[in-house]
Each structure stands twice: as C-alpha cells, then as structure tokens.
Amino acid sequence: LALRIQNIIFSLLFLLVIGLLAYVGKTYHKRFDITQSQRNSLSEPMQTLLKKLDKPLDITAYVPEDAIVKNDLKLLIEKYRVHHSDIKLEFVNPDTNPTRAQEDGIAYSGQLLLKYGDKKETINSVDEQNVLNVLQRLSREKVRIVVILEGHGEASPFEDKSNGISKLSEVLEKKGFSLQPHNILRTQSIPDNASFVIIAAPKKDYLEAEVELISKY
C-alpha cells in the first residue's frame, strides 16, 4: 500500500512538473545564442536601435519566385523581430511585377526596399552595418547638419582624397548627416541647428572674433 501511494504521488508530481514546464514555455520566450562569438545575434547598436523604433518597419524584397535567398531572409528578419516585433517582410517578383518595382525605385533583382513611417530607401545588401545605417537615417525626424569650418587651411572632407577627414565625411553621410562647409569670418555666425562643428587641423590661427563665435556656439 505504501509503495502504491508513493507511485501515485510521484506520478502526480511528475505531471505537475510537465504542466508547469509547458506553461512557462508558452508564456515566457527567451533566446540564447551559444555559438562562438554569438554569430547568430545582432550587435548591441542594432538591438538598441530596433528597440527604439516606434513605428512599423516594412521590408519588400524584390527577388524571383524561386530564389534560394528567400529562406535566408526569413531567418534574418526573425532575428530582427526579437527586438522589434512590428516588422513585415514581403516578397515581390520584379519580373512579373515590373511596374511596382519601378515605382519603388528598384533597379535590378535582389534589391530590398525598407519603409519606415513616410520614409523609404532601397538597399543592395543586408549586411548588418548597411541596414543599421539605413535604419538610422529613416528613423531620424529631421536632417542633422554638421558644420565644417574652412578658411584657415583646414583639411577638407569634400576633396577626393583617401585621408582621415574624407573617410569621416563618408561615414557621417552614411549615418544620415548633412555636411556643410562654413566660413565664419564671412558669415559671422554658426547655424543654431548644427548638430556639431568640425575643426579639422587649421594651418592658420582663428581670429579673436571667430573664437568668440565658436565658444558661444
């Protein structure tokens, strides 16, 4: 009799544990990436940006009907949905729907259209850094201006040279900043809406009045 009672209690406890595990598995979802270097996870900047998005993100992939890349894109978008659930992925065949492809500015098969709010942009690659740059531009409410001072022999980011300042300007533009050259001696001011000012290794000293304007800014 004691053995039977023990077996009954064990069975009841076993069923209770199974029920609790099923409830927890259905209620709480948590992903863990145990791969080396966490290659199946998004970077911290991307995760942070996705969590800040407060609007739906629509992604349209212009690929052929039998494209092998479809499954890879679905798996990739699932990684994004972990941090922003309101993401819609749509596949459009540019061969059978050329009118829509033209309206969306698609030049060739394989391009993707990202739409966030009333802004949209096409991309040629789903490389994470590329997507991050595009999402940063789309999520900004207004254009962010960067003033680059000139007139004192400063290094120019607008010259086609492979130097540090030209690479900096390239990165800033990809991030959605608008670069503007500015001569404060001529204008006697710095725009109030400038996100920041770049002074790139001037070869001549700034005048006292110019220094005051920079300090005031």
Side-chain angles (χ1 to χ4, degrees):
L1 180 62
L3 184 60
R4 286 183 177 180
I5 294 175
Q6 288 180 358
N7 288 335
I8 292 173
I9 293 175
F10 174 80
S11 299
L12 290 174
L13 289 175
F14 180 76
L15 291 174
L16 178 62
V17 169
I18 294 298
L20 287 173
L21 289 174
Y23 172 77
V24 171
K26 185 178 180 181
T27 307
Y28 302 99
H29 302 276
K30 181 69 175 179
R31 293 190 180 189
F32 296 94
D33 186 359
I34 58 174
T35 58
Q36 187 175 9
S37 73
Q38 293 189 319
R39 60 180 178 272
N40 290 327
S41 299
L42 298 174
S43 64
E44 285 294 332
M46 177 62 86
Q47 293 180 31
T48 302
L49 177 60
L50 288 171
K51 291 173 182 177
K52 288 182 178 179
L53 298 181
D54 56 0
K55 300 174 185 176
L57 174 62
D58 296 332
I59 302 174
T60 306
Y62 282 86
V63 294
E65 200 68 39
D66 57 348
I68 302 176
V69 74
K70 278 187 173 182
N71 190 52
D72 293 335
L73 283 173
K74 289 178 181 179
L75 293 174
L76 177 64
I77 298 307
E78 284 304 314
K79 290 166 59 176
Y80 284 76
R81 285 196 179 113
V82 173
H83 309 286
H84 181 62
S85 59
D86 202 353
I87 299 179
K88 178 185 176 183
L89 175 63
E90 180 184 7
F91 293 104
V92 176
N93 188 341
D95 298 326
T96 58
N97 202 339
T99 302
R100 182 175 173 183
Q102 187 177 12
E103 291 174 352
D104 284 342
I106 300 300
Y108 50 85
S109 179
Q111 288 187 304
L112 283 78
L113 177 73
L114 272 63
K115 185 177 181 182
Y116 181 75
D118 58 352
K119 298 178 182 179
K120 59 183 180 179
E121 189 170 335
T122 58
I123 60 173
N124 304 325
S125 167
V126 290
D127 173 75
E128 185 175 328
Q129 186 60 50
N130 184 40
V131 176
L132 178 63
N133 290 334
V134 173
L135 289 180
Q136 285 177 330
R137 289 195 291 269
L138 295 177
S139 61
R140 289 202 175 101
E141 296 296 331
K142 57 183 180 180
V143 177
R144 301 176 69 181
I145 296 174
V146 176
V147 166
I148 302 176
L149 298 186
E150 61 180 15
H152 306 81
E154 294 93 344
S156 174
F158 305 104
E159 295 178 1
D160 189 17
K161 294 181 180 179
S162 181
N163 54 36
I165 190 68
S166 65
K167 291 186 181 296
L168 172 62
S169 64
E170 182 181 342
V171 171
L172 290 173
E173 287 174 345
K174 286 182 178 179
K175 297 290 185 182
F177 291 96
S178 175
L179 278 62
Q180 293 185 3
H182 199 75
N183 190 316
I184 55 177
L185 188 60
R186 187 182 302 125
T187 62
Q188 293 294 305
S189 66
I190 294 178
D192 294 333
N193 61 341
S195 295
F196 55 90
V197 175
I198 293 179
I199 303 174
K203 293 182 173 60
K204 299 178 183 178
D205 290 338
Y206 282 75
L207 300 176
E208 186 176 343
E210 294 175 307
V211 175
E212 288 181 5
L213 285 170
I214 296 171
S215 299
K216 183 179 179 181
Y217 167 79

